[in-house]
Amino acid sequence: MHYCYLDTFIKHTEDVVNAKLSSYQKLNYNRFMWWRTHTDNNDPLSKRLPLKDRIINGDFEFSSYYWQAQSAVIVGRNKVDLSKDDHREQISKTSIDLERYRRLIADFEKEETKRMWELTDAFTKAFNLTHEEFHANLEMWKGDILGLYEWLCVSIPLSPCESRKIARKKGGKSKKK
């Protein structure tokens, strides 16, 4: 039985990974960020805009780095011929792909942590919740982020700050006279 060490990193089929990557914008080669192949399609909105607009824009969606990392491992796995390549040859053939995977996973972990903090801060400010209250609601919720926002709007009143953001967007008065 022949074994490829890259098999431990592959979590999805090539078709699933390619389908996910097709929804992202392809990047031109950049020698300073050579490991990245795609980017998210949108720029994050300002924190001054209402939370619902930021959610709809996709500011808190899953990062593309995970799917790029999966693609890098699959590309490396496709380079290996198990009938001929021993462990040393596998490593020499896939070292670039493994380094790409390592850097993309590091980017993914950094980006997901940042997005989770931004999501927590946005919800706690919009609904005057503590971090613990928000995380308790988040763990209980089974749907998407927009559904959580709408559910919290019904059960908890918006903070005055978030109400002003919505009023500003609609063109209403933002200051009391």
Side-chain angles (χ1 to χ4, degrees):
M1 181 174 142
H2 298 284
Y3 172 75
C4 179
Y5 71 99
L6 291 176
D7 291 339
T8 58
F9 300 116
I10 298 174
K11 307 290 185 218
H12 303 279
T13 65
E14 189 171 357
D15 294 334
V16 170
V17 172
N18 289 336
K20 293 289 187 179
L21 283 177
S22 68
S23 66
Y24 296 111
Q25 182 179 351
K26 195 156 176 62
L27 285 174
N28 292 329
Y29 178 76
N30 179 349
R31 68 180 178 173
F32 301 109
M33 298 283 193
W34 59 268
W35 59 92
R36 296 182 181 174
T37 58
H38 293 78
T39 185
D40 296 338
N41 295 334
N42 55 0
D43 292 329
L45 295 177
S46 168
K47 293 180 181 180
R48 294 178 182 232
L49 291 173
L51 176 57
K52 186 173 184 178
D53 292 348
R54 294 174 65 197
I55 293 170
I56 292 171
N57 186 51
D59 290 2
F60 308 112
E61 292 298 319
F62 197 68
S63 173
S64 66
Y65 297 134
Y66 175 79
W67 298 111
Q68 292 178 64
Q70 285 293 299
S71 176
V73 173
I74 290 171
V75 166
R77 177 65 177 89
N78 291 340
K79 290 179 181 177
V80 174
D81 181 9
L82 292 179
S83 63
K84 293 190 244 175
D85 298 337
D86 65 352
H87 187 69
R88 272 191 229 128
E89 289 176 21
Q90 288 181 18
I91 290 174
S92 68
K93 284 184 176 181
T94 61
S95 60
I96 295 293
D97 300 309
L98 195 59
E99 179 62 18
R100 176 174 273 141
Y101 173 81
R102 188 191 65 75
R103 289 181 185 220
L104 286 166
I105 288 297
D107 288 347
F108 170 72
E109 290 170 352
K110 182 179 173 186
E111 183 69 18
E112 286 301 304
T113 303
K114 177 182 155 221
R115 288 183 186 193
M116 191 63 196
W117 275 108
E118 288 176 359
L119 177 72
T120 303
D121 286 344
F123 269 90
T124 55
K125 288 177 184 173
F127 294 101
N128 285 333
L129 298 170
T130 64
H131 286 262
E132 292 79 21
E133 291 171 333
F134 170 69
H135 286 290
N137 284 316
L138 186 61
E139 288 174 8
M140 185 177 64
W141 186 253
K142 301 292 184 218
D144 61 348
I145 299 171
L146 185 58
L148 175 64
Y149 173 82
E150 291 168 351
W151 178 70
L152 286 175
C153 281
V154 171
S155 59
I156 301 172
L158 287 171
S159 69
C161 178
E162 188 69 15
S163 298
R164 283 193 301 273
K165 289 178 185 178
I166 293 170
R168 256 189 303 228
K169 182 181 179 240
K170 291 181 180 177
K173 295 181 181 178
S174 61
K175 293 183 181 178
K176 293 182 181 178
K177 291 187 178 181

